Amino acid sequence: MNGKAWELQRLGTETPGDLPPARRQHNAFRRYALIAGVATGGLVTLILSLRFLAVPLLLSLWPQLDVTFFDWGVYGAYPQQWYQTIDMPSPCPRTVQWNESCSESPILLSLSGPGLDYAGPLILDSQGELIWTTNEYGAAGNVKVQRYRGKDYLTFWAGEKLQESGQGMYYMLDSTYNIAFTVKAVGDGLYGDLHEFKITTNGTALITVYNKTHLDPDNAVFDDVKDGFIIDGIVQEIDIATGEMLFQWRASDHLDNTLLQTSSGGYVDLGALDYFHINSIEKDGFGNYLISVRHLHMLLYVSGSTGEILWAVGGASDDFEDVSGGAASDFMWQHDARWIDRDQGLISLFDNGIARHHYSDADHSEGRFIKLDLETRTVELIRTFASPSNIRSASQGSVQLLEHAEVEDDQHVFVGWGSSGAYSEFAMDGKLLCETHFAASLLFYFERAKSYRAIKAPEGWKMEPSWDPSAKTVGDVLYVSWIGATEVAYWMLQGQMASSASSASVAGNQSFVDLDTVAKESFETSFEPEKSKGRFVGYRIAALDAEMNVLRFSNIEHVSASSSKKIYVWSVLLAVLAAALVTMLLVRFRRVLLRQSGFKRAEVAYRRIG
């Protein structure tokens, strides 16, 4: 350069290679943290956009996608809905298949699982709308409608739910939801278990009891049991009126029987092997008991006089030859064994086929009808009831023959899928008619919400609570519901005249004017009485039956003329704001990254040195 000597001199920031190791590590950490933050923000924005922008848009174009989104878990593993008039949620089930021939009787559930706010008894109508639930009893199980002395009672177990059993008692509620009877296990330290509460035609109750028991060291199976402790399976028959125990059978008393010497049970939180796991009991006209023993994959038939095991089917038993090539007796982890017709030897049961620690045993669970011929000692598979979607239930489950079907040849079978949040109704030939999911089917494996059994109430069953309908004003909207009522068909809004309210001579219903009547389509109904402000000082709502007869009136609510309107912050707006924020971060990403990590272009100049 013009004969002179020049040197290149760095004027700006050092290059990364010139930084000390500690400085380079610090800058790398900040760089990765920034990248992770932007990536997380982008992912959150994407999820919000899909959930609150794309999903509503797609549903507006193709409403039928709602069931698909539900089963994929887009709305969550167990979507719930909340109400203005009660403080408890209910499931938001989806009917994935419907046939007009399906029974419209209410469905009785006992939900449990980590996805629930509480685990209580639950009644839904045939469309999945809430009828009744409560958290007054704690955890509940085995909800049914059963007949005792000519009257129907809503029955269930309630108490403390353990890992594989429960410790509590049994409740029988009358048609107003008041406790009519309670039943308890008999014996020191014994508690009623959740698995069975069956009322017999003789006015007695069959119950299960799970009790930690130490085996006799001389017992044949002692060496195979850790510390010698098992969870014993106890059957008790209790007189409901007196509480007296009429019969008791302990499975552990029969361990010398070769049928009972191999168990597939596991250790539970009581520190013992859940050896038997009795989950259903049925008493027949001969005074004997059909007992389902899940961990032996076996049904036992026990003498009601001696307690002797008269025969068994399934598991290690060879008392019956399976003329269906094994298909009648190869059930595993079964539940809910019932006599359909004792004289014909017909039994229904729910074949889980799998358990949590043996989840690959079967590709689906199913309801089964099997037929025993006690003379020829054969067993035959009559019918199976499986969902086309191959629902698998690792635990729980039920099968119910709907006896109230109008035509005998057109009886239906109702199946509860236990640990998988669904229930189905089948024709007698095994064809699926209706199916409802109350949890996302793609996530059934995780058991976020489940029901021990699903039972349909008898046709014509009615409940009218001892409490009144509940009305509540929120802004300018008046909400009403009547939790527990089964007969409400319409709601009628009534306004209380200002002059009548202050007049002592006007009494009762004369002070109210009928304003509007709407059909009840969901658990909670709303009215907007703002057009009548000034004329009325209060409002109440009448519950009407199908013939427009008044059943009960709600409390009186007041709608203020100056009610402020609620301001809604739409989720879409949040998604847009989040997207804008992430966009700004991305625009500044390169500049900020370079500045904070030291990756700046070095500024240089030439300096003459000679």
Side-chain angles (χ1 to χ4, degrees), residues 121-283:
L122 178 70
I123 305 176
L124 303 177
D125 69 15
S126 59
Q127 301 302 312
E129 287 289 337
L130 175 65
I131 293 179
W132 176 77
T133 188
T134 181
N135 55 11
E136 294 180 1
Y137 298 93
N142 201 15
V143 185
K144 296 180 180 179
V145 176
Q146 301 193 74
R147 184 161 285 264
Y148 174 66
R149 293 183 174 178
K151 293 183 179 180
D152 287 333
Y153 292 89
L154 180 66
T155 68
F156 55 90
W157 169 92
E160 180 184 4
K161 192 175 185 301
L162 305 179
Q163 183 178 344
E164 296 287 345
S165 59
Q167 293 182 347
M169 56 191 293
Y170 310 94
Y171 295 87
M172 298 172 60
L173 308 187
D174 63 20
S175 61
T176 66
Y177 293 94
N178 289 319
I179 298 175
F181 301 95
T182 58
V183 177
K184 299 180 181 179
V186 177
D188 292 339
L190 299 184
Y191 300 92
D193 169 63
L194 64 87
H195 286 90
E196 186 64 287
F197 178 55
K198 179 66 183 292
I199 298 177
T200 70
T201 56
N202 297 324
T204 63
L206 305 176
I207 68 171
T208 50
V209 178
Y210 283 29
N211 186 51
K212 185 175 180 179
T213 302
H214 190 268
L215 297 178
D216 186 324
D218 295 331
N219 193 285
V221 300
F222 182 84
D223 294 338
D224 297 327
V225 179
K226 180 181 178 182
D227 299 327
F229 282 100
I230 65 169
I231 301 298
D232 203 354
I234 304 174
V235 173
Q236 290 187 349
E237 184 173 3
I238 309 291
D239 186 292
I240 293 175
T242 65
E244 177 188 0
M245 183 175 70
L246 306 177
F247 176 82
Q248 177 170 280
W249 184 83
R250 285 180 175 265
S252 62
D253 290 341
H254 302 270
L255 283 172
D256 56 343
N257 190 314
T258 56
L259 292 174
L260 306 187
Q261 292 182 0
T262 302
S263 170
S264 298
Y267 285 86
V268 295
D269 50 5
L270 292 177
L273 177 67
D274 187 7
Y275 194 96
F276 302 104
H277 203 92
I278 295 174
N279 54 33
S280 71
I281 315 164
E282 187 91 351
K283 188 176 183 180

Side-chain angles (χ1 to χ4, degrees), residues 437-460:
H437 298 172
F438 57 85
S441 62
L442 191 65
L443 306 175
F444 279 168
Y445 174 86
F446 300 101
E447 300 184 10
R448 300 295 297 176
K450 50 195 173 183
S451 179
Y452 173 54
R453 288 174 179 152
I455 302 294
K456 279 210 170 182
E459 195 170 82

Side-chain angles (χ1 to χ4, degrees), residues 476-479 493 516 526-532 539 559:
D476 289 338
V477 181
L478 185 58
Y479 295 88
L493 175 68
D516 191 13
S526 63
F527 292 90
E528 297 185 22
E530 69 277 5
K531 294 181 181 179
S532 303
Y539 299 90
V559 179

Side-chain angles (χ1 to χ4, degrees), residues 548-563:
M548 305 295 286
N549 299 311
V550 175
L551 299 173
R552 206 79 65 83
F553 294 101
S554 76
N555 53 294
I556 299 174
E557 280 288 290
H558 302 279
V559 179
S560 173
S562 59
S563 297

